[in-house]
Amino acid sequence: MRQDDLVTDEPRSRRGAAGADEELIRALYRDHAGPLLGFVLHLVGGDRQRAEDVVQETLVRAWKHADRLDAAAGSVRPWLVTVARRIVIDDHRRSVARPPETDAAPLELLPAADELDRALRLMAITDALGAVTEAHREVIAQTYLKGRTVAEAAAELGIPEGTVKSRIFYALRSLKIALEERGVTS
């Protein structure tokens, strides 16, 4: 292929129909893709798929910038090699600049939050609360469910603070046993 086949004095937009563009890309591919692929394969460590992607991107850039290719300078291959080398360098820099990608497979092993599990847990807790005494349910309701302090719960229930503390201790112990009997362990 002659250099004049690739480069014209007119900008690409004035060259005419898509046929000229198609012929340009075919000529570039026919004359330069093979040697360029060999060069890029060496740069990317033998990764053929990556090398083919780089060659394709190089040829697309040559097509887009056909008006920059200089017929007087000789072959366009040095320009193509330079562009390909810069693409490889840019890809390398981009891969180093961002964190490594991780595989999503381990995430699939983690249990997802499920409303059904939450509902079943609440049913088990409600059932277990029914197994403790009324006095124990009252102090649990005042302190844990309503968020009151020991002093506030004592005032609400009309009992001494020490009694609230001891009832909370024994209520939680009874509730834990009742939950374990229902298969709730954590």
Side-chain angles (χ1 to χ4, degrees):
M1 178 177 139
R2 296 186 340 250
Q3 183 66 27
D4 296 333
D5 292 341
L6 288 176
V7 181
T8 65
D9 292 334
E10 301 175 22
R12 205 169 62 75
S13 60
R14 281 193 263 148
R15 245 190 267 139
D21 288 344
E22 188 176 318
E23 181 54 38
L24 172 68
I25 199 73
R26 285 180 194 270
L28 282 171
Y29 187 82
R30 179 182 59 243
D31 294 342
H32 301 287
L36 193 58
L37 180 63
F39 172 73
V40 175
L41 267 170
H42 174 72
L43 291 178
V44 297
D47 184 349
R48 185 165 183 89
Q49 182 177 358
R50 188 166 167 225
E52 288 174 355
D53 289 345
V54 170
V55 169
Q56 180 179 354
E57 178 63 25
T58 303
L59 293 175
V60 167
R61 287 185 188 182
W63 171 70
K64 285 181 179 179
H65 303 288
D67 54 323
R68 291 186 185 177
L69 301 176
D70 185 12
S75 176
V76 295
R77 192 169 295 162
W79 186 87
L80 293 171
V81 167
T82 301
V83 170
R85 187 173 60 79
R86 288 181 181 165
I87 290 171
V88 170
I89 290 169
D90 290 346
D91 286 348
H92 174 71
R93 286 179 180 160
R94 209 174 345 218
S95 70
V96 172
R98 66 180 207 197
E101 295 179 10
T102 57
D103 185 19
L107 295 177
E108 293 173 4
L109 300 176
L110 294 175
D114 188 2
E115 289 300 314
L116 181 62
D117 288 341
R118 185 175 181 269
L120 291 173
R121 185 176 292 270
L122 287 174
M123 288 173 58
I125 291 171
T126 303
D127 188 43
L129 277 171
V132 298
T133 66
E134 177 67 29
H136 289 160
R137 269 195 308 276
E138 287 178 343
V139 294
I140 289 175
Q142 291 296 320
T143 55
Y144 285 94
L145 300 179
K146 293 183 179 178
R148 293 189 173 135
T149 64
V150 170
E152 292 170 342
E156 181 70 28
L157 296 172
I159 57 176
E161 291 180 24
T163 304
V164 171
K165 288 180 184 179
S166 94
R167 283 187 186 172
I168 289 173
F169 174 79
Y170 290 108
L172 291 177
R173 192 167 78 176
S174 297
L175 185 60
K176 179 181 177 189
I177 292 169
L179 287 170
E180 286 175 350
E181 289 173 354
R182 286 158 180 80
V184 179
T185 58
S186 59

